[in-house]
Every structure is written in structure tokens, then in C-alpha cells.
Amino acid sequence: MSPKQARGADTVERVLDAALALHASQGHGGLTMSALIAKTGISSGSIYHHFGSLDGLCAALYARCMAALLDEIITGLEGAGTARGGVEALVHAYLGFTRDQRAAAYFIHASSYAGFLPAHRHRVAEAKQPRMARINAWLRRHVQSGEVLALPEPLTEMLVIGPVAET
């Protein structure tokens, strides 16, 4: 990665971290361009360059938080040998994530009502799709053995992530 690309990636992470902190401390209404600029010292032009808009930034943050949640779930599932063990691991991973990464979990669930998600569904799907494919692959093995009932993949996604966040 070139120095310029590394600076850009660092800027993106700094802005996302600041946005998550603002949301955690002040709610969605506190996540404004002015607050981000004040917290990060990064110009509005740079923020718009990387995210396109405040909604684009929120979508990127949602995708990052969702990816972190799904990665925790995948780690738990792939470490489980049985269907029952996988379900227990999924629940423990989900609850552990909400305990350990409270701000990210709150952002996911608070964003379920946000207007930015439909316009940025492709960005969110890009983060979720490969992870949900791994979760569905794990489930498919247990469906084939008869341990787990086959469900449509969109319903599985709602059950894994939580109906409030996904419906």
C-alpha cells in the first residue's frame, strides 16, 4: 500500500471510530458533520471524499459493525462440531458481541430504523454476503445430516442477526 493509500485508510478508520463514539455518547442525532470535524480535525471535504455523504459514512459504519458481529458469530460456529454446539456458540457470540462491543451493537440495532440503509444496501450487502455465505455453508452441513431444519437464507439472516435489525 502506498503512503497515500495508507493515510486514506487511516483517515477512514479514524472517522469511523469517531462516528461510533459520537453515536454511542450522543445517539444518532449527535452524529453530525460538525461533531465529526470537531472530534477528528478532518475536513468535511475529506469526509465527503471517502464516504460521499453523512449517510454514506453511516452505511460504512453499519457495514463495519455488522462485519464485526458476523465475524464473531462465524468464529463461534466454525469452532463447533455439532448443530447444538453451533447454536449455543452463535448465541454466546452474539451476546458476547453486544456485551464487549456495546457501541457497535447499539449502532446496528439503532440503525434498523435509519433512512440511510436502503440507499446504501449494496455497501452493506458487500460486507454481509461473504460472511452469511460461510454461516449458511456451516448450516447446510447440519441440514443435510437432519440436525437442523432447512430455512430460506433471508430468514436465516434475520434469525442470526436479529429480527429487529434485519426486518
Side-chain angles (χ1 to χ4, degrees):
M1 183 180 289
S2 75
K4 186 175 180 179
Q5 289 172 318
R7 280 193 313 277
D10 180 56
T11 298
V12 166
E13 290 307 309
R14 283 182 48 216
V15 171
L16 291 174
D17 289 343
L20 186 59
L22 283 168
H23 186 272
S25 66
Q26 300 178 29
H28 194 70
L31 181 50
T32 65
M33 286 298 288
S34 297
L36 278 169
I37 293 165
K39 188 164 185 71
T40 63
I42 296 170
S43 71
S44 60
S46 182
I47 293 170
Y48 281 111
H49 168 75
H50 291 290
F51 301 103
S53 65
L54 186 59
D55 282 354
L57 181 145
C58 289
L61 181 57
Y62 182 87
R64 184 176 88 163
C65 293
M66 185 61 68
L69 169 61
L70 293 175
D71 287 343
E72 290 288 323
I73 290 170
I74 289 166
T75 298
L77 278 179
E78 291 180 346
T82 66
R84 181 179 185 88
V87 170
E88 289 174 359
L90 186 151
V91 170
H92 285 285
Y94 190 95
L95 294 175
F97 180 84
T98 62
R99 179 194 62 226
D100 299 339
Q101 297 189 47
R102 185 178 176 97
Y106 175 59
F107 190 81
I108 289 169
H109 289 93
S111 295
S112 62
Y113 306 105
F116 67 82
L117 286 176
H120 297 277
R121 67 185 171 278
H122 300 296
R123 172 179 259 162
V124 174
E126 203 173 273
K128 286 169 53 176
Q129 191 281 329
R131 291 166 174 89
M132 285 306 303
R134 286 177 66 185
I135 291 169
N136 284 314
W138 184 90
L139 284 168
R140 229 178 337 275
R141 290 192 311 268
H142 296 285
V143 166
Q144 291 168 349
S145 72
E147 297 175 272
V148 175
L149 180 66
L151 296 172
E153 289 185 5
L155 180 56
T156 299
E157 187 171 333
M158 284 185 258
L159 292 172
V160 167
I161 296 169
V164 172
E166 287 303 299
T167 54

